[in-house]
Amino acid sequence: MTDDATTTVSLLHPMLDTHGPGWVESRSSKPVVGVSSGLSALFVDCAGPGTRVALVTDPGSRLTYSLFHLLDLLGGVWLTRASDGSLRRAVTLEPVRSPAHGLGVTEDGYPLPRDEAPSEGRLDEGRSVDPDAVPWTQLAVVTHHRARAEARLGGTLERLVEALAPGTRTLWGTTEPATTVWDRDFFTAAARSRMPSETRFHVAGGDASGPRYRGWVRVSRSDDGVVEETRIVVTGAVAPGVVADALADVAGRQQVLLATAWSLSGRADGTVSAHDRVAPQPLAAVVGARSVRGMQLDVEGLVRRVGGRVLGSSRTPSVLVSFDEGPADDVGAGAGAGAGAGAGAGAGAGADDGVAAARWHRFADAVEIVGADEILAAMTPPGVHRAS
């Protein structure tokens, strides 16, 4: 396996420390690591030849939410190096021999045998409960815009922030930390200027008490328009009913293809530690009208089995599935049924085992009815070419 492409990348990037065929290592000792201009450039140049990135940090370093998920999307890995030189995969805490081993390949870039490759299982060693953890709500919404001159982007972000973190001042940019004050028209113009290339914009918001949310918006061309993917994590307790109503509101204003909401816990500043248990629980999901039509989905049957409510007209219905409300609940109650569970139930950290088990049972039922392949297809309509 040749490493010509990797060598080319290494000559261009001071962020790169070591490399091999098909992989590179980038090290950082910063206490908080985000998508800096240097890392962003490294990811872009590595994505072309299919080179994977192993990011190696100190054990106490934290990653921003955007960087944590971007690494996963690009097929990279986050490793931590102790003072004795030993390496572990972040989150799973599994020991690895080298950055290449952490990526599941040999030093020459060939796939490791299954019995030698790192697993996805989590180890309890070196892990403790974070006393400073706060509730998180993670949202991912994929919308489609027709190719029209009047199409405006950023509406999903505005509605989610208004509903879940009201009063938040939003900043955005192509790297972190985001520094440009939010302006929807300016945001739309920036995305247009970069087309047909796919662009990821990083967003963050806070107030006098600190950060309220972090995330990104990814904009891509499709055969008949533009696909906008908004992914954010909101810190602090939010009642499940409020989350469900926020998704329903977005579905009523945008052409949502698929939307999901999850509860978990994390740092108040929206960062992830290598020792955190990143284990979300499903809260709610929306299957948009276009996806319902493409899947020929029985929305009434889905609501009867899982819980939730039908949105929109009978001719072009969407469906909101609520994993926090059982199918026997009054699905027309909207926020009242979900909010009755209290903000703590939506926090993830405070939900008991029975609530978590019920949520996952309803989630499994929904996936069985809708279909895992159909869900993946809804997130990327025909003609969309992802850069990652």
Side-chain angles (χ1 to χ4, degrees):
M1 182 177 292
T2 178
D3 65 346
D4 288 348
T6 307
T7 302
T8 301
V9 172
S10 71
L11 294 176
L12 297 174
H13 290 281
M15 298 295 296
L16 190 148
D17 291 281
T18 61
H19 65 83
W23 64 270
V24 299
E25 175 193 359
S26 180
R27 303 171 192 159
S28 178
S29 59
K30 294 180 179 179
V32 176
V33 188
V35 187
S36 64
S37 57
L39 272 180
S40 179
L42 178 64
F43 289 146
V44 168
D45 280 20
C46 285
T51 302
R52 299 169 65 198
V53 178
L55 177 64
V56 181
T57 70
D58 293 343
S61 297
R62 306 192 308 278
L63 265 57
T64 63
Y65 173 82
S66 288
L67 180 54
F68 181 76
H69 280 279
L70 184 55
L71 267 178
D72 183 56
L73 286 172
L74 295 174
V77 66
W78 177 18
L79 307 174
T80 64
R81 188 182 298 276
S83 57
D84 63 0
S86 61
L87 287 172
R88 286 182 182 268
R89 293 188 72 184
V91 181
T92 69
L93 303 185
E94 181 178 9
V96 295
R97 298 188 300 271
S98 66
H101 181 216
L103 288 164
V105 299
T106 67
E107 302 301 317
D108 294 328
Y110 292 99
L112 287 168
R114 181 174 299 179
D115 60 346
E116 293 184 28
S119 69
E120 295 301 322
R122 293 176 171 85
L123 305 180
D124 289 329
E125 177 188 351
R127 196 188 301 278
S128 60
V129 176
D130 181 6
D132 298 322
V134 301
W136 278 11
T137 303
Q138 176 180 283
L139 303 108
V141 182
V142 182
T143 59
H144 186 269
H145 305 267
R146 293 184 180 180
R148 294 175 174 173
E150 63 269 24
R152 298 174 74 214
L153 305 176
T156 297
L157 177 67
E158 288 188 344
R159 299 304 301 175
L160 292 178
V161 173
E162 181 178 335
L164 306 179
T168 300
R169 177 175 180 265
T170 291
L171 300 174
W172 65 284
T174 55
T175 59
E176 294 184 296
T179 57
T180 303
V181 176
W182 177 258
D183 180 292
R184 188 173 171 186
D185 291 329
F186 186 21
F187 177 83
T188 300
R192 286 181 185 275
S193 70
R194 292 168 173 265
M195 290 182 181
S197 299
E198 176 186 282
T199 303
R200 181 182 281 101
F201 298 100
H202 302 279
V203 294
D207 54 23
S209 64
R212 299 286 300 281
Y213 81 90
R214 290 179 184 265
W216 45 259
V217 180
R218 179 167 58 170
V219 181
S220 311
R221 285 294 302 270
S222 71
D223 283 346
D224 58 349
V226 177
V227 173
E228 181 180 18
E229 180 180 358
T230 304
R231 186 183 292 264
I232 63 172
V233 61
V234 179
T235 61
V238 181
V242 174
V243 176
D245 278 357
L247 293 186
D249 176 60
V250 171
R253 297 168 181 269
Q254 307 277 345
Q255 188 182 91
V256 170
L257 303 179
L258 186 71
T260 60
W262 305 77
S263 67
L264 62 163
S265 62
R267 307 300 170 108
D269 63 354
T271 62
V272 180
S273 162
H275 298 270
D276 288 339
R277 292 182 181 274
V278 185
Q281 294 180 24
L283 281 181
V286 168
V287 182
R290 177 169 172 163
S291 299
V292 165
R293 184 171 60 251
M295 299 175 189
Q296 298 183 332
L297 185 63
D298 176 9
V299 294
E300 297 283 0
L302 178 60
V303 168
R304 283 196 301 271
R305 179 169 171 181
V306 181
R309 59 189 187 267
V310 178
L311 307 173
S313 69
S314 58
R315 188 174 65 86
T316 57
S318 300
V319 60
L320 168 72
V321 181
S322 176
F323 305 116
D324 205 66
E325 306 170 24
D329 293 342
D330 178 8
V331 298
D352 59 32
D353 291 342
V355 172
R359 287 174 178 168
W360 280 112
H361 178 74
R362 293 169 192 144
F363 178 80
D365 282 348
V367 172
E368 180 183 348
I369 295 170
V370 178
D373 291 341
E374 286 75 12
I375 292 172
L376 291 174
M379 296 181 67
T380 308
V384 175
H385 301 285
R386 295 291 195 203
S388 59

Coordinates of all heavy atoms in Angstrom, one line a residue, residues 37-74:
S37 N -8.7 26.2 12.6 CA -8.4 26.3 11.1 C -7.4 25.2 10.7 O -7.6 24.7 9.6 CB -8.0 27.7 10.8 OG -6.8 28.0 11.5
G38 N -6.4 25.0 11.5 CA -5.4 23.9 11.1 C -6.0 22.6 11.0 O -5.8 21.8 10.1
L39 N -6.8 22.1 12.0 CA -7.4 20.8 12.0 C -8.5 20.7 10.9 O -8.6 19.7 10.2 CB -8.1 20.5 13.3 CG -7.3 19.9 14.4 CD1 -8.1 19.6 15.7 CD2 -6.7 18.5 13.9
S40 N -9.2 21.8 10.6 CA -10.2 21.8 9.6 C -9.5 21.6 8.2 O -9.9 20.8 7.4 CB -10.9 23.1 9.5 OG -11.9 23.2 8.5
A41 N -8.4 22.3 8.0 CA -7.6 22.1 6.7 C -7.1 20.7 6.6 O -7.1 20.1 5.5 CB -6.5 23.1 6.7
L42 N -6.6 20.1 7.7 CA -6.1 18.8 7.7 C -7.2 17.8 7.3 O -7.0 16.9 6.5 CB -5.5 18.4 9.1 CG -5.0 17.0 9.3 CD1 -3.8 16.7 8.3 CD2 -4.6 16.7 10.7
F43 N -8.4 17.9 7.9 CA -9.5 17.0 7.6 C -9.9 17.1 6.2 O -10.2 16.1 5.5 CB -10.7 17.4 8.5 CG -10.6 17.0 10.0 CD1 -11.1 17.8 10.9 CD2 -9.8 15.9 10.3 CE1 -11.0 17.5 12.3 CE2 -9.7 15.6 11.7 CZ -10.3 16.4 12.7
V44 N -9.9 18.3 5.6 CA -10.3 18.5 4.2 C -9.3 17.8 3.3 O -9.7 17.1 2.4 CB -10.4 20.0 3.9 CG1 -10.5 20.2 2.4 CG2 -11.6 20.7 4.6
D45 N -8.1 18.0 3.5 CA -7.1 17.4 2.6 C -7.0 15.9 2.8 O -6.7 15.2 1.9 CB -5.7 18.1 2.9 CG -5.6 19.4 2.2 OD1 -6.6 20.0 1.8 OD2 -4.4 19.9 2.0
C46 N -7.3 15.4 4.0 CA -7.2 14.0 4.2 C -8.5 13.3 3.6 O -8.4 12.1 3.2 CB -7.2 13.7 5.7 SG -5.6 13.9 6.5
A47 N -9.6 14.0 3.6 CA -10.8 13.4 3.1 C -10.7 13.0 1.6 O -11.3 12.0 1.2 CB -12.0 14.3 3.3
G48 N -10.0 13.8 0.8 CA -9.9 13.6 -0.6 C -9.3 12.2 -0.9 O -9.9 11.4 -1.6
P49 N -8.1 11.9 -0.4 CA -7.5 10.6 -0.7 C -8.0 9.5 0.3 O -7.5 8.3 0.2 CB -6.0 10.8 -0.5 CG -5.9 11.9 0.5 CD -7.1 12.8 0.2
G50 N -8.9 9.8 1.1 CA -9.5 8.8 2.1 C -8.5 8.5 3.2 O -8.5 7.4 3.8
T51 N -7.7 9.4 3.6 CA -6.8 9.3 4.7 C -7.5 9.5 6.0 O -8.2 10.5 6.2 CB -5.6 10.3 4.6 OG1 -4.9 10.0 3.4 CG2 -4.6 10.1 5.7
R52 N -7.3 8.6 7.0 CA -8.0 8.7 8.3 C -7.1 9.4 9.3 O -5.9 9.2 9.3 CB -8.4 7.3 8.8 CG -9.4 6.7 7.8 CD -9.6 5.2 8.1 NE -10.3 5.1 9.5 CZ -10.2 3.9 10.1 NH1 -9.6 2.9 9.7 NH2 -10.8 3.9 11.3
V53 N -7.7 10.1 10.3 CA -7.0 10.9 11.3 C -7.1 10.3 12.6 O -8.2 10.0 13.1 CB -7.5 12.3 11.3 CG1 -6.7 13.1 12.3 CG2 -7.3 13.0 9.9
A54 N -6.0 10.1 13.3 CA -5.9 9.7 14.7 C -5.5 11.0 15.5 O -4.4 11.5 15.4 CB -5.0 8.6 15.0
L55 N -6.5 11.5 16.3 CA -6.2 12.7 17.1 C -5.8 12.2 18.5 O -6.5 11.5 19.2 CB -7.4 13.6 17.2 CG -7.3 14.8 18.1 CD1 -6.3 15.8 17.5 CD2 -8.7 15.5 18.3
V56 N -4.6 12.6 18.9 CA -4.0 12.2 20.2 C -3.9 13.4 21.1 O -3.2 14.4 20.8 CB -2.6 11.5 20.0 CG1 -2.0 11.0 21.3 CG2 -2.7 10.3 19.0
T57 N -4.5 13.3 22.3 CA -4.5 14.4 23.2 C -4.0 13.8 24.6 O -3.8 12.6 24.8 CB -5.9 14.9 23.4 OG1 -6.7 14.0 24.1 CG2 -6.5 15.3 22.1
D58 N -3.9 14.8 25.5 CA -3.6 14.4 26.9 C -4.8 13.8 27.5 O -5.9 14.1 27.1 CB -3.2 15.6 27.7 CG -1.9 16.2 27.3 OD1 -1.1 15.5 26.6 OD2 -1.6 17.4 27.6
P59 N -4.7 12.9 28.6 CA -5.8 12.3 29.2 C -6.9 13.2 29.7 O -8.1 12.9 29.7 CB -5.2 11.5 30.3 CG -3.8 11.2 29.9 CD -3.4 12.5 29.2
G60 N -6.5 14.4 30.1 CA -7.4 15.4 30.7 C -8.0 16.3 29.7 O -8.8 17.2 30.0
S61 N -7.6 16.2 28.4 CA -8.1 17.1 27.4 C -9.6 16.8 27.1 O -10.0 15.7 27.2 CB -7.3 17.0 26.1 OG -6.0 17.5 26.3
R62 N -10.3 17.8 26.6 CA -11.7 17.6 26.2 C -11.9 18.1 24.8 O -11.2 19.0 24.3 CB -12.7 18.4 27.2 CG -12.5 18.1 28.6 CD -13.6 18.6 29.5 NE -13.9 20.0 29.3 CZ -13.3 21.0 29.9 NH1 -12.2 20.7 30.7 NH2 -13.6 22.3 29.7
L63 N -12.8 17.5 24.1 CA -13.1 17.9 22.7 C -14.5 18.6 22.7 O -15.4 18.3 23.5 CB -13.2 16.6 21.8 CG -12.0 16.2 21.0 CD1 -10.8 16.0 22.0 CD2 -12.3 15.0 20.2
T64 N -14.6 19.6 21.8 CA -15.9 20.2 21.6 C -16.8 19.2 21.0 O -16.4 18.2 20.3 CB -15.8 21.4 20.6 OG1 -15.3 21.0 19.3 CG2 -14.8 22.5 21.2
Y65 N -18.1 19.4 21.1 CA -19.1 18.6 20.6 C -18.9 18.4 19.1 O -19.0 17.3 18.5 CB -20.5 19.1 20.9 CG -21.6 18.4 20.2 CD1 -22.2 17.2 20.8 CD2 -22.2 18.9 19.0 CE1 -23.2 16.6 20.2 CE2 -23.3 18.3 18.4 CZ -23.8 17.1 19.0 OH -24.8 16.5 18.4
S66 N -18.6 19.5 18.4 CA -18.4 19.4 16.9 C -17.3 18.6 16.5 O -17.4 17.7 15.6 CB -18.2 20.9 16.3 OG -19.4 21.6 16.4
L67 N -16.1 18.7 17.2 CA -15.0 17.9 16.8 C -15.2 16.4 17.2 O -14.8 15.6 16.4 CB -13.7 18.4 17.6 CG -12.4 17.7 17.3 CD1 -12.1 17.6 15.8 CD2 -11.2 18.3 18.1
F68 N -15.8 16.2 18.3 CA -16.1 14.8 18.7 C -16.9 14.1 17.6 O -16.5 12.9 17.2 CB -16.9 14.8 20.0 CG -17.2 13.4 20.6 CD1 -16.2 12.7 21.2 CD2 -18.5 12.9 20.5 CE1 -16.5 11.4 21.7 CE2 -18.8 11.7 21.0 CZ -17.8 10.9 21.6
H69 N -17.9 14.7 17.1 CA -18.7 14.0 16.1 C -18.1 14.1 14.7 O -18.3 13.2 13.9 CB -20.1 14.7 16.0 CG -21.0 14.2 17.1 ND1 -21.7 13.0 17.0 CD2 -21.3 14.7 18.3 CE1 -22.4 12.8 18.1 NE2 -22.2 13.8 18.9
L70 N -17.3 15.1 14.4 CA -16.7 15.2 13.1 C -15.7 14.1 13.0 O -15.6 13.5 11.9 CB -16.0 16.6 13.0 CG -15.3 16.9 11.6 CD1 -16.3 16.7 10.5 CD2 -14.7 18.3 11.6
L71 N -14.9 13.8 14.0 CA -14.0 12.7 14.0 C -14.7 11.4 13.6 O -14.2 10.6 12.8 CB -13.2 12.5 15.3 CG -11.9 13.2 15.5 CD1 -11.4 13.0 16.9 CD2 -10.9 12.8 14.5
D72 N -15.8 11.2 14.2 CA -16.6 9.9 14.0 C -17.1 9.9 12.5 O -17.0 8.9 11.8 CB -17.7 9.9 14.9 CG -18.6 8.6 14.8 OD1 -18.0 7.5 14.9 OD2 -19.8 8.7 14.6
L73 N -17.6 11.0 12.0 CA -18.1 11.1 10.6 C -17.0 10.8 9.6 O -17.2 10.2 8.6 CB -18.7 12.4 10.4 CG -20.1 12.7 11.0 CD1 -20.5 14.2 10.8 CD2 -21.1 11.8 10.4
L74 N -15.8 11.2 9.9 CA -14.6 11.1 9.0 C -13.9 9.7 9.2 O -12.9 9.5 8.5 CB -13.6 12.2 9.2 CG -14.2 13.6 8.8 CD1 -13.1 14.7 9.2 CD2 -14.5 13.7 7.4

